[in-house]
Amino acid sequence: MFLPMLFELATATAPLPADGAQLQRGDQREAWRARQEGRILPLREIEGRVLPTMRGSQYLGFDFEPDRGIYTLKFLRDGTVIWVEVDGRSGQILGRTSN
């Protein structure tokens, strides 16, 4: 009886597709690598420029596009997600969704 259950457990633990947390870690890793190579500003500096402009919003985290050098910071305000795109090289805010 124990062996069939063990077999079912072993076969049920096959790798699953990447979830949001794994994707976030990948973005963090790529941003760290680009920062180490001097291609972009540190995330803390980017956040220091953007967070004060987003008062009343909850900061949810970021995505990083290594091929473009673009950070996308995500915020939540009044039930709406707001994305702010920032040039990782200059720190300039490129745009954001409305709200």
Side-chain angles (χ1 to χ4, degrees), residues 30-64:
E30 288 298 322
W32 182 84
R33 185 174 299 124
R35 172 65 188 123
Q36 292 301 106
E37 295 170 358
R39 293 184 285 128
I40 61 167
L41 296 169
L43 175 62
R44 297 295 170 232
E45 187 171 333
I46 298 292
E47 290 172 336
R49 294 177 185 201
V50 176
L51 269 60
T53 70
M54 297 300 294
R55 297 210 189 286
S57 299
Q58 177 186 359
Y59 180 44
L60 300 176
F62 76 98
D63 291 326
F64 179 69

Side-chain angles (χ1 to χ4, degrees), residues 12 16 19-20 54 60 65 68 74 95-96 98:
L16 299 174
D19 64 3
M54 297 300 294
L60 300 176
E65 297 178 50
R68 295 178 54 213
K74 297 182 213 176
R96 72 176 179 181
S98 61

Side-chain angles (χ1 to χ4, degrees), residues 15-29 62-63 74:
L16 299 174
D19 64 3
Q22 289 173 323
L23 293 174
Q24 178 72 19
R25 282 192 297 274
D27 289 342
Q28 291 170 347
R29 199 172 17 253
F62 76 98
D63 291 326
K74 297 182 213 176

Side-chain angles (χ1 to χ4, degrees), residues 1-13:
M1 178 162 166
F2 180 74
L3 284 175
M5 287 190 325
L6 185 59
F7 178 76
E8 286 180 7
L9 180 62
T11 58
T13 59

